[in-house]
Amino acid sequence: MLDVRELRKSFTGPEGARVEVVRIPQFALAAGEERALRGESGCGKTTFLNLVAGILAADSGIISIDGTDMAALPEPARDRLRAAKLGYIFQTFNLLQGYTVIENVVLGMSFSPGGADFRRARELLGRVGLGHRLEHFPRQLSTGQQQRVAVARALANRPALVLADEPTGNLDRRNSRESLALIREACRENGAALLLVSHDEEVLREFGRVQDFASLNVAAAEGAP
Ligand SMILES: Nc1ncnc2c1ncn2[C@@H]1O[C@H](COP(=O)(O)OP(=O)(O)O)[C@@H](O)[C@H]1O
Ligand SMILES: [Mg+2]
């Protein structure tokens, strides 16, 4: 369902030189598959996920989701497809501070074909244990609870693929374990593929099979920058 070919992304470094951060010849993920990628900080994991999510534009290469090459689509269609197919759990959660818990989840639905669905938002928030916090604002929640809102939001559109960027990086050990279990279970229940990146061995240990990001990303393997 996710197919990446010859993906490249470079940034301009402090001295003005271009530094290649991502160069991935090939990467594929099957429908419903769960994949954990291990990589040291700075090796390009977030950049890769942002490219897949369309938050960053690639220099070149193909990212195809369910057979559609994202870069070949005009922007409005790309945004719609992305909203319909992808859920993203950010390392820092990226919740909208001016909106309540339930609004944060519903806003994630606004691009989806079904539109805002408060019933589904309530249901999802109930499942992540926040049924009693619907009208709270993010700042009124613990870090673990904020993370749960982010999980519910990522699943709001019934995505085919969930991206998780160091999803437990800001949590203590207990919350980290619970949250990871929740993400995996929610993806399984929803039939969503899960692509998780982390540098945390404790997190990675939970997965049967872990792939080294450096084995995918030739740019990182070459020791750039
Ligand atoms: N917008 C940017 N401009 C310049 N350099 C960047 C930018 N984003 C990331 N980088 C650089 O790209 C490299 C990889 O970053 P990142 O993808 O965040 O790594 P990771 O998520 O694995 O820690 C780092 O060296 C970082 O400094
Ligand atoms: Mg990162």
Side-chain angles (χ1 to χ4, degrees), residues 46-69:
T46 297
T47 304
F48 174 48
L49 293 189
N50 285 344
L51 290 167
V52 170
I55 290 167
L56 277 176
D59 298 337
S60 60
I62 291 173
I63 297 170
S64 106
I65 296 177
D66 266 350
T68 307
D69 175 11

Side-chain angles (χ1 to χ4, degrees), residues 36-49:
L37 301 177
R38 168 198 290 117
E40 290 308 305
S41 180
C43 72
K45 303 183 299 298
T46 297
T47 304
F48 174 48
L49 293 189

Side-chain angles (χ1 to χ4, degrees), residues 67-177:
T68 307
D69 175 11
M70 298 294 272
L73 291 176
E75 204 172 306
R78 192 162 63 218
D79 287 346
R80 272 199 307 277
L81 186 74
R82 191 187 302 150
K85 300 274 182 189
L86 294 182
Y88 200 154
I89 302 168
F90 298 91
Q91 179 167 11
T92 48
F93 315 145
N94 287 8
L95 299 177
L96 299 169
Q97 297 299 322
Y99 293 88
T100 63
V101 163
I102 190 156
E103 285 167 349
N104 264 277
V105 175
V106 164
L107 283 168
M109 297 172 176
S110 51
F111 274 113
S112 74
D117 181 346
F118 276 86
R119 221 182 59 131
R120 174 158 172 82
R122 261 195 300 276
E123 202 178 282
L124 279 166
L125 286 162
R127 282 232 313 280
V128 301
L130 288 176
H132 60 311
R133 290 288 182 272
L134 301 181
E135 305 300 334
H136 280 56
F137 288 91
R139 66 173 178 280
Q140 299 172 316
L141 302 178
S142 72
T143 315
Q145 288 171 332
Q146 290 182 42
Q147 153 71 297
R148 287 163 181 273
V149 180
V151 172
R153 180 184 58 185
L155 291 161
N157 290 331
R158 305 178 201 276
L161 172 61
V162 171
L163 307 171
D165 188 4
E166 316 251 18
T168 59
N170 288 304
L171 303 181
D172 61 42
R173 189 168 297 191
R174 202 189 105 229
N175 273 309
S176 166
R177 182 159 300 213

